[in-house]
Amino acid sequence: MDPMDPGRTAQLELAIGARMRTRRRQLGLSQSDLADRLGVSFQQVQKYERGANRVAASTLLAASVTLNTTVSWLVGEESSGREDDEDVFRALSRPGALEILQSFNAIADARARTALLALAREMAAPPHDGDG
C-alpha cells in the first residue's frame, strides 16, 4: 500500500475500525469498556470504529490484547482469503447488524428464519412503481 495515497489509508482505517467494532461487540464490550482498557475516551473509540481517526501502533497492540485477537487480524492480514471480507466487517459494524445476525442464528425454526430473510429482502428492495 502506498502510504501517500489518502484513499488507501482511509480504507485501511475504515477496515480496522470495522474489525475493532465487530470484535468488541462479539465480546459484549461497550465502547466505554474498550475505552477504559485502552486508556482513551469512549469518543475516541467511536472515532476509531468509524475510521475517522488513525489508531496508533501502541493502541492497536493494546486493542488486539483487549479484544483477544491479533494485530494482523485487526489490520486485515489474517483473513479467509476472500476479497469481500472487508465488506462483511463493514456491514457487521453498522449499529444493530450483529444483533440481527445473533437473533437470526438463535431462531430454531427454519421456516421462521426463511420468513425473516424474505421480509428483510423485501424491505431492502427498491420501491415498486405502482401495483404491478
Side-chain angles (χ1 to χ4, degrees):
M1 176 173 69
D2 180 1
M4 300 305 287
D5 182 353
R8 297 280 311 235
T9 302
Q11 287 178 338
L12 178 60
E13 296 307 325
L14 283 170
I16 291 170
R19 286 173 175 266
M20 284 179 69
R21 179 180 175 100
T22 300
R23 185 66 183 144
R24 172 184 62 76
R25 296 188 67 151
Q26 285 175 335
L27 296 174
L29 297 172
S30 69
Q31 288 178 329
S32 294
D33 293 334
L34 181 57
D36 289 345
R37 294 177 188 187
L38 296 180
V40 300
S41 68
F42 84 91
Q43 293 94 341
Q44 186 63 43
V45 170
Q46 288 175 326
K47 290 177 183 180
Y48 291 152
E49 290 183 355
R50 286 194 324 259
N53 282 13
R54 291 183 181 169
V55 182
S58 58
T59 304
L60 192 60
L61 180 58
S64 72
V65 170
T66 299
L67 298 172
N68 196 25
T69 190
T70 64
V71 170
S72 295
W73 185 84
L74 286 173
V75 299
E77 290 180 354
E78 288 178 23
S79 70
S80 65
R82 294 177 43 193
E83 292 181 17
D84 61 348
D85 277 355
E86 295 314 313
D87 292 337
V88 169
F89 284 107
R90 243 180 253 115
L92 286 174
S93 73
R94 295 184 78 174
L98 189 57
E99 289 86 349
I100 289 285
L101 183 58
Q102 289 169 332
S103 296
F104 181 85
N105 285 332
I107 299 170
D109 183 354
R111 290 182 304 155
R113 285 192 311 272
T114 300
L116 181 58
L117 181 56
L119 175 62
R121 285 182 174 152
E122 181 64 28
M123 292 175 75
H128 302 290
D129 290 335
D131 293 329

